[in-house]
Amino acid sequence: MPLVVGTVSDLKTWLSVTAPGCKPACDIVELRVDSMPPFLGAEQLKADRCTRPLLLTIRHASEGGSRGIPEPTRLAMALHLLPVAAAVDWEAAQLPGAGELVQAAAEAGIPLIASMHDFRATPSVDDMLRAEEAARAAGAQVVKFAFRLNRPEDIMAGVELLRRAGGPVAVMGMGPLGPTSRLMYCQLGSCLIYGYLGTTPAAPGQWSAPLCRQALRQLPAAEL
């Protein structure tokens, strides 16, 4: 069964998620630090109060980040918050400049998710496989692919990617065809499904985390 990642991308939801006694309807909480108000530093985020394992994400603006954060600042924030994280997400394209973070995560036994996002189209399967290989060589344990599905045929690219991937991958479509694809990819082996907590989706075509949980319970496993 894939793990449900509940994404938090607004301060009101984060305050709710970290309130005493709160048990979010997900397996992992993803804190989108880039979506939090810029006046909140690492100390003010109180990330250690989350009762679910925490996925730390400070998304780069080029791949959907809510605001531009200078790369040295982004890396420093990630390193500061790393001790309270159960996993960390970093863009595959930015891994070459994140050696200190990759090393620190490895030394702490914190899994690294290398992510790739294409908000315009579906990349070719060969391109995604090459990116997966490079991300694993750079230290990633899981590789996440999120891409826009413009035609029903695009869904098959994710199916082929899951069949040929060299290790754990999380695959999800975005856009009007996204919700359908996310469940199907989970049936075929995607290890994570992302849904939002609160009222703010973090990507087009994203379901709420509670709905993801409910739907997964109804789905039988499938084989490629």
Side-chain angles (χ1 to χ4, degrees), residues 170-197:
V171 183
M172 58 212 73
M174 295 186 288
L177 295 171
T180 300
S181 74
R182 288 171 185 244
L183 288 180
M184 183 178 72
Y185 293 153
C186 283
Q187 283 184 287
L188 297 174
S190 179
C191 63
L192 302 172
I193 181 170
Y194 286 66
Y196 62 89
L197 294 172

Side-chain angles (χ1 to χ4, degrees), residues 79-105:
L79 288 165
H80 188 80
L81 287 166
L82 196 61
V84 297
V88 61
D89 179 305
W90 210 254
E91 300 80 16
Q94 305 300 325
L95 280 178
E100 185 180 359
L101 177 62
V102 173
Q103 181 177 350

